[in-house]
Amino acid sequence: MFGLAVIVPAVLVFYLTYRNAANLASASEAETLRVVNKGYALAVFERLNIARSTLERISQGVERASGTATGSMFTAVTELGAAAAPESGSPALPDELLLIRRTRSGLPEIAVIASNQDTGRRRLQGTLAPDFLWGDPEAAISNGRICVQAEGIDLTCVGSAPSVLDDQVLRDQWDLVLKPEYGVGAWRFLAVRRKHDSFSEYAGLLLPLAVGMLLTALLLSSIEIRRILVPLETLLEKIAALGGGRAPSVSGDDEFVMLHQTFHSLQSRITGQILALKTLQEIDQLILARSPLGGVIELVLKRIRTMVGARPIAISVSSAVGDFSEQDFLLRPDGVLSTVSLRGGPAGDERRPSRMRPHDWQEAKAIAPGLAEFGLASVWCLTVGQDSGPLVRVSLGQLQAEAGENLPARYNGHGELEELAGRVAVALAAEAHEQRLVHQARHDLLTDLPNRLAVFELLPGIIGQAQQSMHGFATLFVDLDRFKAINDGLGHTLGDTVLVEVARRLRSAAGPDTLVARLGGDEFFVVAPYARDRAAAIAMDDAIREAFEEPLVVENNSLFIGLSSGIAMYPTDGEDADMLMRNADLAMYRAKQLGGASAMPFDAEMNQAAEKRVQLEHDLRLAMELDQLHLHYQPRIDSRDGSIVGAEALLRWTHPVAGNIGPGEFIGLAEECGLIGAIGALVLDRACRQLAAWQAAGLDLPMLAVNVSPHQLRAGDLFDSIAKALATHGLDWSQLEIEITESVLVKDSVFASEQLQRLREAGCTVAIDDFGTGYSSLAYLANLPTDTIKIDRSFIGSLHARDTQAVVRSIIALGQTLGKTIVAEGVESSEQVKLLNSWDCHIVQGFVYFPPLPPESLAALLPRIRDAGA
Ligand code: C2E
Ligand code: CA
Ligand code: CA
């Protein structure tokens, strides 16, 4: 096409040019012929004239007729009679001066007649020699012929006529007018000549030229086409590579057809991939939406089915987390999904069947029982996942007809099957993770017992069952007695160990079918669905208590754990989880109030007590604002002379309705509800203010003791708040003693010891309060950062007992050896004072001297005592 496009116009132009040039050439040939023809005619005319004038000269006698010149001119010269004289007045018409005579030979003779002009007498007729008249035929015309005619008579022909067809002949006609000179008609000169075709040589060039051009055009166009086709072919290859490397089945050999087909295969591959991506996206959405695993597996199975066609396809999952679980999902050739067992034998004790390990595609000839019914040749399996984590196996059934074929190679060109299996593994891992989270959210981290949330999730189900079977059940709220002392005294790490052991004992004592939960801290909750009445509930409680008869041994400490429990029965003590737990809690609280180490069934009255407690907390907050808290002061007496050696500040609350409330009733509450910090600061400030006031009034109180809660010590700002209170009221560190309960001051409580040591270094003294009730042993009394030991009033109260006497005596002896001041508190009788005196313990605090006094009362005592001292 390219070649033709070049050749056709070229040939056309060539042809037109040729034709035009040929026309031009033939026109110029015609012109030439005319010139030749005319030239010849004029030459003949010239020779006629020459002959006539020669004849005239002969008639005049100037020349002889027999001269050489005339001889060649004339064949004969004859005399003619005189010519008639021309009539005067009329124009003289010339005579016919040329005569044409036919001869016998056929060739006409031509004679010219001339007369003497001067005389007009002698007229001569000269027959012209043809050679002279017609001249040299060669010179007349080349390659042609000129014939002369006169009045239908052929006079002569010179040259030769061309022997060619008519249309190749040029003709010319020229009339030589003779009338004026010779008085005869014109002679006609007819010239013919062969057309000289000067362009025929070019015609010969045309073919090679055209062929040359065609070849050139072909060459150039093929170069050009290659320039287009080579990149096109590369493009094709690349698209084909994108399209999975498969060469398109080509029906046409045109690159554009191939391009189209390659694009088509690319498109179908991309469509397939988009479909795959969509499936994966759907799966991801399901995973993200925490849908059940079954939904994901169904989606994956259906996607695999679109890839591999109707055949049994199975997905087996094996999750290694939580309770070991395995499941097999089968998509039958008819598209029905079912769960089957693809593992031979019971999956019983073997935690993870050894067959289930991550591996690439493998062909298994042994058909699992669940797949046996389909009459398969083999099963192709792919297992993904981690050895220790969730595993997913995809199984493709190979039909008998396909035996020996590599199924995965046929269908899994792009690894989509692996990807799908991987997604199931992700879903499985997500589900396992979810389960872990669910477990974590519902279990206590320390003891792994169910937590409060789990109780609230499980209780409604238990209640539902109880409703159906029309019976009640028991809930127990169990709290450890004095756990705070253990925690504070032995440290949290040990406290945690104690809790773990307590949980273990509770769990095993409660037995199966009983829910044991840890609600937080040292609070446990037991739901016993088969303890249907109060007696059964108490039996359950007894069983638990029995488990705690043995002491807990933790890091060489052997601890007896007392339990306080409250029992609430469904449905009498509560119809829902919330009520049951709250009322069991109340009953427990009451058991605690009554001294602990016992169980207390719930009683409707308790509710009121609980409400009172809530009210109390509310009132306590209000008390701070309304300034209902104030201090009383109990003097510390030297029993030898009855002098006041100091006083202890004790907090009092004058409630507008309930009257005076003792600190035993609200300090614990303040510690629980976080008010203790504010209250502690208030006490410090009031005490210091009071001491400064007495000092200003000239009253002498050697020392003031202030009680400090372990919570204040733990908060870390005790030193600063004491320093602030002292500075505010211009007091000295040495005037203050800090009383802190024994349980805080133990080996593990490095922080507490450091803080107290810091206070001591600042000049203040530290007293251990309620000594003997904590878990500290006498042995490490030496290490305690303390100046004063206050023997707990429970020892003083039972001082009549021999055992107690021994304990108290050893405390005093050891304390004095260590250089500590020993204070006996809660001394109520003079017998006790005497006994203590006899053991060298003289500092006494108790009702035997004074109860805690309002500040005015103490002030009234102070001057008297100073006066007495003076
Ligand atoms: P505590 O530090 O052991 O205070 C001594 C308690 O024994 C006082 O009880 C006091 O009234 C009482 N008492 C004094 N002499 C006798 C006696 O001869 N016989 C008997 N049976 N009891 C006697 P109170 O005032 O009810 O204080 C109870 C507890 O409240 C105190 O025990 C102390 O631990 C705490 N407390 C009192 N005031 C404060 C305070 O300002 N801050 C802190 N954190 N705790 C305080
Ligand atoms: Ca005290
Ligand atoms: Ca005390």
Side-chain angles (χ1 to χ4, degrees):
M1 292 295 282
F2 232 135
L4 279 182
V6 174
I7 290 300
V8 168
V11 167
L12 204 65
V13 166
F14 188 90
Y15 168 73
L16 289 173
T17 312
Y18 167 76
R19 220 182 59 165
N20 205 26
N23 282 347
L24 272 173
S26 77
S28 93
E29 266 184 311
E31 192 61 33
T32 312
L33 189 59
R34 160 147 296 221
V35 168
V36 167
N37 198 17
K38 186 178 168 183
Y40 182 63
L42 291 177
V44 169
F45 184 62
E46 188 67 15
R47 280 194 284 272
L48 276 177
N49 287 346
I50 290 169
R52 198 173 83 173
S53 59
T54 306
L55 212 54
E56 273 175 11
R57 277 200 306 274
I58 294 171
S59 72
Q60 287 165 355
V62 183
E63 202 155 336
R64 284 186 302 121
S66 55
T68 15
T70 48
S72 63
M73 223 176 274
F74 302 107
T75 49
V77 176
T78 53
E79 273 269 340
L80 294 175
E87 284 171 40
S88 52
S90 60
L93 282 170
D95 299 324
E96 286 187 355
L97 298 182
L98 273 178
L99 295 175
I100 297 165
R101 284 190 306 264
R102 291 183 192 274
T103 61
R104 261 178 274 161
S105 68
L107 275 173
E109 267 182 6
I110 295 154
V112 66
I113 297 167
S115 56
N116 188 335
Q117 295 289 313
D118 305 327
T119 61
R121 257 187 353 207
R122 199 179 172 202
R123 290 174 69 213
L124 292 176
Q125 175 185 304
T127 306
L128 291 166
D131 286 349
F132 168 70
L133 181 58
W134 305 120
D136 183 5
E138 301 279 303
I141 187 168
S142 58
N143 300 324
R145 188 185 69 172
I146 301 175
C147 287
V148 186
Q149 290 177 339
E151 286 153 13
I153 304 160
D154 289 332
L155 297 180
T156 188
C157 280
V158 292
S160 55
S163 55
V164 285
L165 293 172
D166 241 19
D167 60 340
Q168 289 178 342
V169 170
L170 275 173
R171 292 173 200 284
D172 188 61
Q173 173 179 320
W174 174 263
D175 285 348
L176 182 62
V177 179
L178 293 171
K179 199 83 182 177
E181 301 287 333
Y182 295 95
V184 293
W187 287 4
R188 176 159 288 181
F189 283 74
L190 292 164
V192 290
R193 193 183 239 179
R194 177 190 179 144
K195 270 188 196 164
H196 190 81
D197 193 357
S198 53
F199 282 92
S200 55
E201 298 113 63
Y202 288 112
L205 277 178
L206 187 62
L207 190 67
L209 204 66
V211 170
M213 282 173 79
L214 185 66
L215 288 179
T216 314
L218 282 177
L219 180 72
L220 291 177
S221 55
S222 77
I223 287 171
E224 194 58 24
I225 286 166
R226 275 194 63 73
R227 270 184 48 194
I228 296 169
L229 283 190
V230 168
L232 193 62
E233 276 164 4
T234 326
L235 184 65
L236 263 172
E237 273 169 28
K238 287 186 176 169
I239 295 172
L242 269 181
R246 267 175 283 188
S249 56
V250 192
S251 60
D253 55 353
D254 189 315
E255 279 76 7
F256 290 96
V257 174
M258 284 169 67
L259 192 61
H260 169 82
Q261 284 172 342
T262 319
F263 260 120
H264 183 77
S265 75
L266 177 67
Q267 187 201 19
S268 58
R269 177 169 144 83
I270 287 174
T271 316
Q273 282 183 340
I274 287 174
L275 198 67
L277 283 178
K278 265 191 177 162
T279 315
L280 292 179
Q281 191 194 11
E282 272 178 66
I283 294 168
D284 289 347
Q285 277 170 357
L286 286 180
I287 294 173
L288 286 176
R290 305 263 191 275
S291 313
L293 186 65
V296 174
I297 288 176
E298 187 176 348
L299 202 65
V300 169
L301 279 172
K302 292 202 166 142
R303 171 64 193 157
I304 293 177
R305 190 179 151 86
T306 63
M307 294 169 66
V308 305
R311 63 176 75 248
I313 307 157
I315 288 183
S316 314
V317 296
S318 147
S319 153
V321 230
D323 292 336
F324 184 75
S325 71
E326 288 191 23
Q327 256 180 306
D328 301 287
F329 299 81
L330 172 67
L331 190 67
R332 306 163 65 91
D334 53 13
V336 177
L337 186 71
S338 59
T339 50
V340 290
S341 174
L342 297 184
R343 283 160 253 237
D349 38 15
E350 201 187 353
R351 293 277 289 171
R352 184 183 282 267
S354 56
R355 276 187 295 148
M356 196 90 166
R357 294 220 175 283
H359 61 66
D360 230 355
W361 284 104
Q362 281 179 359
E363 189 179 15
K365 298 279 185 201
I367 313 291
L371 294 173
E373 58 175 300
F374 301 107
L376 299 171
S378 62
V379 177
W380 283 91
C381 297
L382 165 78
T383 309
V384 300
Q386 284 152 4
D387 237 338
S388 55
L391 283 175
V392 173
R393 170 182 295 167
V394 173
S395 308
L396 303 181
Q398 178 140 346
L399 307 173
Q400 291 289 0
E402 313 159 319
E405 205 179 330
N406 188 324
L407 271 194
R410 169 137 66 110
Y411 294 114
N412 199 26
H414 311 306
E416 196 188 333
L417 287 170
E418 277 98 342
E419 208 155 351
L420 288 165
R423 277 314 202 289
V424 178
V426 169
L428 199 60
E431 200 184 59
H433 181 67
E434 182 86 3
Q435 278 172 3
R436 236 190 336 262
L437 287 182
V438 166
H439 181 87
Q440 271 173 18
R442 283 156 187 77
H443 286 78
D444 171 47
L445 268 180
L446 180 66
T447 61
D448 204 38
L449 287 180
N451 61 12
R452 186 182 293 268
L453 178 67
V455 171
F456 279 103
E457 278 181 356
L458 294 170
L459 251 183
I462 298 170
I463 289 173
Q465 280 174 1
Q467 265 172 345
Q468 273 185 351
S469 51
M470 309 265 287
H471 62 70
F473 65 88
T475 62
L476 281 80
F477 200 110
V478 180
D479 191 285
L480 309 190
D481 292 340
R482 297 162 58 79
F483 177 70
K484 212 160 69 68
I486 296 173
N487 220 12
D488 291 343
L490 303 181
H492 288 277
T493 323
L494 248 142
D496 285 353
T497 318
V498 169
L499 284 174
V500 172
E501 176 59 15
V502 167
R504 198 192 61 74
R505 287 194 189 186
L506 276 175
R507 184 58 278 164
S508 69
D513 304 320
T514 304
L515 172 67
V516 178
R518 181 178 171 221
L519 301 180
D522 58 346
E523 294 177 343
F524 296 85
F525 192 66
V526 179
V527 180
Y530 297 104
R532 299 191 172 177
D533 51 27
R534 188 164 283 185
I538 287 170
M540 163 72 79
D541 184 75
D542 288 343
I544 290 173
R545 271 167 212 292
E546 208 172 304
F548 287 88
E549 273 170 9
E550 283 285 303
L552 249 81
V553 182
V554 185
E555 286 188 13
N556 301 328
N557 296 286
S558 117
L559 308 172
F560 283 98
I561 301 291
L563 302 178
S564 296
S565 41
I567 298 169
M569 299 301 298
Y570 173 86
T572 44
D573 299 337
E575 292 191 348
D576 59 26
D578 207 43
M579 261 309 216
L580 283 169
M581 193 182 281
R582 217 175 51 195
N583 290 342
D585 188 8
L586 278 177
M588 181 280 293
Y589 193 72
R590 174 54 56 89
K592 254 219 162 128
Q593 280 180 325
L594 295 177
S598 65
M600 177 66 69
F602 174 75
D603 185 318
E605 272 175 31
M606 291 176 183
N607 244 330
Q608 291 165 7
E611 274 159 26
K612 218 174 116 194
R613 204 172 112 92
V614 173
Q615 185 65 41
L616 200 66
E617 183 187 328
H618 173 256
D619 290 354
L620 184 57
R621 289 177 191 276
L622 218 64
M624 304 256 312
E625 286 173 33
L626 300 178
D627 201 23
Q628 294 168 358
L629 299 178
H630 51 273
L631 293 175
H632 278 191
Y633 300 89
Q634 186 175 32
R636 229 183 247 179
I637 307 292
D638 187 331
S639 61
R640 288 168 296 194
D641 57 6
S643 62
I644 297 178
V645 295
E648 178 181 3
L650 292 161
L651 193 55
R652 295 291 175 263
W653 177 11
T654 319
H655 192 274
V657 182
N660 288 332
I661 301 176
E665 275 184 67
F666 67 88
I667 289 292
L669 184 68
E671 285 173 344
E672 276 172 33
C673 67
L675 277 171
I676 192 65
I679 290 178
L682 181 134
V683 169
L684 268 169
D685 183 71
R686 290 284 170 85
C688 289
R689 192 205 294 169
Q690 188 59 67
L691 187 57
W694 285 327
Q695 201 170 289
L699 301 174
D700 181 29
L701 180 68
M703 179 278 300
L704 185 60
V706 173
N707 291 286
V708 163
S709 154
H711 287 258
Q712 284 172 270
L713 201 62
R714 235 171 271 141
D717 57 355
L718 184 64
F719 185 91
D720 292 341
S721 63
I722 292 173
K724 190 182 156 206
L726 290 171
T728 310
H729 301 288
L731 294 175
D732 197 75
W733 283 92
S734 62
Q735 293 176 272
L736 202 68
E737 184 163 89
I738 294 302
E739 289 193 10
I740 187 107
T741 46
E742 179 202 1
S743 57
V744 178
L745 303 168
V746 288
K747 54 178 180 184
D748 283 340
S749 191
V750 179
F751 183 64
S753 300
E754 275 173 2
Q755 286 209 70
L756 294 175
Q757 192 53 43
R758 205 174 148 210
L759 289 171
R760 292 177 75 202
E761 279 159 16
C764 139
T765 52
V766 170
I768 299 187
D769 208 350
D770 304 343
F771 189 83
T773 58
Y775 285 91
S776 54
S777 70
L778 286 179
Y780 59 78
L781 191 59
N783 303 324
L784 295 177
T786 175
D787 308 282
T788 308
I789 291 165
K790 294 185 82 175
I791 302 170
D792 190 66
R793 62 175 179 272
S794 61
F795 290 101
I796 308 299
S798 54
L799 211 53
H800 47 86
R802 290 223 155 244
D803 294 1
T804 315
Q805 285 185 8
V807 173
V808 172
R809 287 182 71 172
S810 61
I811 291 175
I812 294 169
L814 191 61
Q816 282 171 345
T817 316
L818 294 169
K820 317 273 182 196
T821 307
I822 311 293
V823 177
E825 61 174 0
V827 182
E828 294 179 349
S829 66
S830 49
E831 286 76 32
Q832 291 165 348
V833 177
K834 255 183 235 160
L835 262 178
L836 289 163
N837 255 326
S838 69
W839 297 328
D840 253 3
C841 172
H842 311 292
I843 311 297
V844 169
Q845 189 183 332
F847 295 165
V848 68
Y849 290 103
F850 301 102
L853 302 169
E856 324 68 81
S857 310
L858 183 62
L861 294 174
L862 289 177
R864 182 172 62 84
I865 290 171
R866 193 178 60 171
D867 291 347

